[in-house]
């Protein structure tokens, strides 16, 4: 498990997900909202193999498998792309299996991904702006976080 919400577990894709993943990406109603038009079993195997070699937080896309806790079934995926040109910026995308639309899974997954309450906070700030960040840091510490603070001499 990489993160979870009330109804979902976000985890790495595995071989057991291939059939549901390919079916989701092969569905024209799902594909019309995405950048692909079709997905064969070979395409699915290749995509899952690529994700197996990647880690969340690395530049480029990482797709999280979204599993419904109650059923253990794959309901979609949530992607996080750390921009290659600026690692401070990211994009989030999601795809939900059509049978699971209108159940709030996409919003729940994105909320859980961005909340990450157990993650360590990283503060990257220039020496001039640091004077304006002090109160923010005290709030972070007061709420129980132990931030990593990097002050740039710029």
């Amino acid at each position: 498990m990489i993160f979870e919400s009330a109804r979902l577990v976000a985890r790495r894709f595995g071989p057991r997900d291939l059939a549901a993943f390919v079916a989701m990406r092969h569905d024209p109603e799902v594909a019309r909202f995405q950048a692909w038009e079709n997905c064969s079993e070979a395409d699915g195997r290749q995509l899952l193999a690529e994700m197996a070699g990647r880690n969340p937080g690395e530049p480029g896309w990482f797709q999280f498998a979204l599993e419904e806790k109650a059923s253990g079934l794959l309901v979609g995926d949530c992607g996080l792309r750390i921009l290659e040109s600026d690692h401070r910026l990211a994009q989030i995308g999601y795809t939900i299996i059509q049978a699971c639309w209108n159940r709030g899974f996409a919003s729940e997954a994105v909320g859980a991904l961005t909340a990450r309450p157990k993650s360590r906070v990283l503060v990257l700030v220039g020496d001039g702006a640091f004077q304006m960040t002090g109160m923010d840091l005290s709030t972070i510490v007061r709420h129980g976080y132990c931030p990593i603070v990097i002050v740039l001499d710029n």
Side-chain angles (χ1 to χ4, degrees), residues 6 43 51 57 61 65 80 82 88 90 92 94-95 105 110 113 116 129 139 151:
D43 294 334
M51 287 303 113
W61 280 104
L80 174 66
I82 305 299
R88 299 170 299 170
I92 297 173
Y94 53 83
T95 307
F105 286 138
V110 171
L113 172 63
R116 300 295 306 262
T139 302
V151 180

Side-chain angles (χ1 to χ4, degrees), residues 31-48:
R32 72 186 179 110
F33 297 108
Q34 303 294 351
W36 69 82
E37 292 182 17
N38 200 344
C39 182
S40 68
E41 185 174 326
D43 294 334
R45 284 186 195 285
Q46 180 180 351
L47 285 165
L48 296 186

Side-chain angles (χ1 to χ4, degrees), residues 22 44 49 52 55-57 89:
V22 170
N55 292 302
L89 302 176

